[in-house]
Amino acid sequence: MLPLPVLEEAASEMTNYRGCGMSVMEMSHRSEVYQNIFREAKADLKRLLKIPDTHEVVFMQGGAILQFSAVPLNLIGRTGKADYAVTGNFSSIAMKEAKKYGEISVACSSEDKNHTYIPAQDDIHVSSGASYFHYCSNNTVYGTEWKYVPDTGDIPLVCDMSSNIMSSPVDVSKYGVIYAGVQKNLAPAGMAVVIVDKALVGAEHPLTPELMKYRVMIDNDSMLNTPPCYTIYMLGLVLKWLEKQGGPEGIARIKVEKAKILYDVLDDSKMFKGNASVPARSDMNITFRTANDELDGVFVREASHAGFENLKGHRAVGGMRASIYNAMPTEGVEKLAAFMRSFEARFHD
Ligand code: PMP
């Protein structure tokens, strides 16, 4: 979801942006009016996430998946080695991609229990001389979330925050690179936000495309080519909305309340079972199932008839998944909880 007030504001200025006579979609990215939109969005992002001067924000096309290649291409050249935490679908794809570019070690994995948990700090084994340690802070498909920032000593942390960015405060100074496809919590699809420690850039693989070099994108303020102008404009509107919710601090309080509403249903239920182990439960993606696939199917169908969309779980996990990103109102979550309770009352024998 995108916040309704944001969609309404975008609709109201769709054909004529604040009296300038054209739509944001029609503007030159070099025009003064667009440069202001761009600068403000970037400044708001920096302010809301308290990004220190050591780090720079770049907007890159290709979504989070392109970052699976950009991260090793930019960083692995320092030592030729990198460590990956494998805790779900996307971190495993990221690791496979990185293997093209260097020697990759699995520092920890939750594969033994079908990614239902997050490894503890003691279970993380970093290799000496790794250029970076990569992990995914929220596993969108499995519904698990890291509740701590891994301690990897001198090895820079690289984190895929695609599905939980801006849902709680982050100490950016602890990270070498943070990246996130924007389409869950920040904007419509079309790019990734990448936050880079400037001290790490400049050792990229010589074959790295110019558009994927962090150094070049920083030097050109994300405008080496025409950026996804409308997506960045929408990002700006969403950031203003996020600020009104109290920024990451405010959202953190709201998201815990929202997730609790659904986890309370699961905990009280004799029919629904959560997929994730309790300490690792995600506040963004609530994964659950009934006792059998057939009943799961009935649930998804009936939910859709009642107006609840996209509840079918990813094929790797099955069951159901309620994605309650930042823009999902508490009211929507309460309605789903009520629907789940009434479904159980009707179908549980
Ligand atoms: N990482 C995570 C954690 C995701 O949730 C997703 C999208 N579901 C991706 C990567 C892939 O993102 P994109 O489609 O922007 O490439």
Side-chain angles (χ1 to χ4, degrees), residues 62-65 68 90 136 138 140 160 162-163 181 183-184:
I65 299 270
F68 293 177
F90 290 106
C136 174
N138 184 74
T140 323
D160 175 358
S162 294
S163 52
Q183 66 273 22
K184 306 234 163 14

Side-chain angles (χ1 to χ4, degrees), residues 75-83 101-103 127-132 203:
L75 304 183
I76 210 166
R78 296 177 339 120
T79 64
K81 297 198 281 185
D83 284 351
Y101 306 105
E103 194 186 312
S127 18
S128 68
S131 299
Y132 62 89

